Amino acid sequence: MDWLSAKVSLMNKNVIALDFDGVICDSAAECVVSAYGAYVQAKGEAFDPMESVVPDYFRDGFYRLRPLIRDGRDYVMILYLLDRGVAIKDQDDFDHELETRLPDLLNIFGVEDGPGLEAAFQKYRAGFRVRDEGGWMDRNPLYDGMKEALGQRNGSLDGVFVTTSKPSMVAKSILEHNGFSLPEGHVLGKDMVGRSPDKNVHMRLVMEGRGVSYEDIHFVDDQVAHLESAMGLGVNCYLASYGYTTDKQVEKARGLGIRVLEEGELAGWMGGVLGGG
């Protein structure tokens, strides 16, 4: 790096905030196994995540409906709806069925409320990971375009933050399994922000932790609702078109003036925002 590039780099206050599932990591292969296993176990049926295979009907249906998920309970709700042959066209359909059918699903799991249902799913998921750490990790690969983008930084990831609904240590472990390590405090999981309908608390932590303004943050997510909220703070927002999103969300993002990022342009985009690696 010459002296001019170094000077520009020092003047660059830009930081990048990346959602995890659907932006950095394609976790659907792990989630469908964990959700299916938790659901059939609750029904009293046998399923071994290390040896059994999720039937194609449930796997394909799960992948199709994955963009509609908002929290942990939704993972098993998808399996419940598929099991009953309920047709889901969009987010409104899913939200209606969730509200209507949640009591029956709670009864199947023997829990009292949505948080109890999510806890049951996460317990099964954690058990799967404990039994087969390598297999669990392999079902959580990074997107190729993101691996290229992070790799071009030559180990310098000071300007990158992760904003996720996962526990921080889980996201960190997956990143490290793939050869990437972020500075302390740069992986902001649900243990650091609590329950929130958007990512604005994450944005505040990025701003305060890095000593920048909201206008210096470049935020990538695959959920338009999160981006729309962050735009109100002055954050630069981008939709990951390759993640768990829908054509309808892509259309809405463009209507809001949110740039839509393709997987193949991640490396060039990240280099442009942060400067040389």
Side-chain angles (χ1 to χ4, degrees), residues 69-77 117-118 121-122 195:
I69 286 175
R70 290 195 174 109
D71 58 35
R73 66 181 182 175
D74 294 354
Y75 287 104
V76 288
M77 176 57 76
L117 182 59
E118 179 168 1
F121 163 66
Q122 297 294 357
R195 282 192 170 274

Side-chain angles (χ1 to χ4, degrees), residues 120-161:
F121 163 66
Q122 297 294 357
K123 181 179 179 180
Y124 185 93
R125 190 182 202 181
F128 172 21
R129 181 179 177 185
V130 168
R131 289 185 61 201
D132 184 15
E133 177 79 7
W136 191 89
M137 285 289 182
D138 289 344
R139 286 181 171 86
N140 284 280
L142 303 194
Y143 290 100
D144 289 341
M146 185 57 67
K147 289 179 71 173
E148 179 186 2
L150 295 175
Q152 76 172 356
R153 305 306 303 162
N154 298 319
S156 176
L157 296 174
D158 289 351
V160 178
F161 286 77

Side-chain angles (χ1 to χ4, degrees), residues 1-233:
M1 180 183 295
D2 59 32
W3 72 270
L4 181 59
S5 297
K7 184 177 180 180
V8 170
S9 180
L10 288 171
M11 294 173 61
N12 185 2
K13 295 177 65 178
N14 289 340
V15 294
I16 288 177
L18 303 170
D19 177 42
F20 196 74
D21 295 286
V23 173
I24 296 176
C25 173
D26 185 3
S27 61
E30 176 266 311
C31 290
V32 68
V33 173
S34 296
Y36 184 79
Y39 177 64
V40 298
Q41 178 178 277
K43 294 200 303 175
E45 301 173 14
F47 181 81
D48 186 335
M50 296 169 61
E51 299 180 3
S52 304
V53 176
V54 177
D56 290 344
Y57 167 75
F58 288 100
R59 183 182 298 277
D60 294 346
F62 182 92
Y63 287 170
R64 177 173 55 83
L65 298 175
R66 173 62 183 83
L68 308 181
I69 286 175
R70 290 195 174 109
D71 58 35
R73 66 181 182 175
D74 294 354
Y75 287 104
V76 288
M77 176 57 76
I78 283 179
L79 274 301
Y80 171 92
L81 295 175
L82 290 169
D83 197 19
R84 280 155 175 72
V86 180
I88 300 294
K89 298 192 300 295
D90 54 28
Q91 190 74 57
D92 289 340
D93 270 358
F94 182 77
D95 292 346
H96 171 74
E97 295 296 341
L98 173 63
E99 180 179 359
T100 302
R101 297 174 182 270
L102 183 58
D104 189 36
L105 186 57
L106 295 178
N107 183 60
I108 291 173
F109 273 81
V111 297
E112 296 183 354
D113 52 23
L117 182 59
E118 179 168 1
F121 163 66
Q122 297 294 357
K123 181 179 179 180
Y124 185 93
R125 190 182 202 181
F128 172 21
R129 181 179 177 185
V130 168
R131 289 185 61 201
D132 184 15
E133 177 79 7
W136 191 89
M137 285 289 182
D138 289 344
R139 286 181 171 86
N140 284 280
L142 303 194
Y143 290 100
D144 289 341
M146 185 57 67
K147 289 179 71 173
E148 179 186 2
L150 295 175
Q152 76 172 356
R153 305 306 303 162
N154 298 319
S156 176
L157 296 174
D158 289 351
V160 178
F161 286 77
V162 171
T163 61
T164 178
S165 59
K166 270 182 162 59
S168 302
M169 285 305 301
V170 174
K172 287 177 67 175
S173 296
I174 293 172
L175 283 168
E176 289 169 0
H177 180 75
N178 285 276
F180 299 105
S181 181
L182 268 62
E184 187 67 28
H186 280 226
V187 180
L188 305 173
K190 67 178 182 181
D191 48 298
M192 300 182 70
V193 301
R195 282 192 170 274
S196 175
D198 53 41
K199 294 289 185 72
N200 286 6
V201 177
H202 293 82
M203 297 301 108
R204 177 175 59 79
L205 292 178
V206 171
M207 179 186 68
E208 294 173 352
R210 191 66 174 174
V212 298
S213 69
Y214 284 124
E215 290 76 14
D216 297 317
I217 300 173
H218 296 256
F219 173 40
V220 186
D221 205 300
D222 62 339
Q223 294 298 310
V224 173
H226 294 163
L227 298 170
E228 190 172 7
S229 293
M231 285 180 70
L233 301 175

